[in-house]
Amino acid sequence: MAATSTSSITELGGKYVLDRNCTGANGATANVTGGAGSIFMVQINNEANSTASYLKIRDNAAATPATTAANGAGTPHFSFKAPAYKKITYAIPGGAAFTAGLSMWCVTGTAVGDQVNASSAVIVKLICS
């Protein structure tokens, strides 16, 4: 479950998204931003897992992760890797615009239809406008 705050936290963005257990097999955490904006920072904490995790984000308020390798409605627009036992932060200078809202999920593979959850919680933080 994601929690969203709309208070102004930085000069870049006013929305802070925190998902303490990002998963893929149970579906995407839908519309974590509540609408259009830009994404400026992504942090993935994968310190509890012995395999890499991939955060996948789709510009869609009601996204459902794809269950096959074919591109289609569940194909992510963004994908970020967190190596095993690491916390990594990605900065997006100037931001990446989205129009519908962000839905996100985390899995252990790079393939479009991967549905395998990490063995332990993956914590995701976003800063958006």
Side-chain angles (χ1 to χ4, degrees):
M1 172 182 262
T4 304
S5 172
T6 57
S7 62
S8 181
I9 57 171
T10 71
E11 293 177 4
L12 293 177
K15 293 181 183 175
Y16 172 72
V17 177
L18 171 63
D19 188 339
R20 294 185 187 276
N21 191 14
C22 187
T23 64
N26 298 327
T29 303
N31 200 13
V32 297
T33 56
S38 293
I39 184 169
F40 295 99
M41 191 273 310
V42 174
Q43 183 180 77
I44 309 163
N45 183 337
N46 195 41
E47 294 175 319
N49 291 295
S50 61
T51 59
S53 290
Y54 297 85
L55 170 64
K56 298 182 180 184
I57 300 175
R58 183 153 174 86
D59 181 0
N60 190 307
T64 299
T67 57
T68 69
N71 286 329
T75 302
H77 291 109
F78 305 98
S79 185
F80 300 93
K81 179 182 180 182
Y85 300 120
K86 300 288 182 188
K87 182 191 305 184
I88 189 164
T89 301
Y90 293 92
I92 305 170
F98 54 90
T99 58
L102 297 181
S103 295
M104 63 185 190
W105 60 98
C106 290
V107 292
T108 59
T110 59
V112 170
D114 193 328
Q115 294 287 303
V116 179
N117 291 330
S119 57
S120 295
V122 177
I123 302 166
V124 174
K125 297 176 183 177
L126 307 176
I127 294 180
C128 305
S129 63

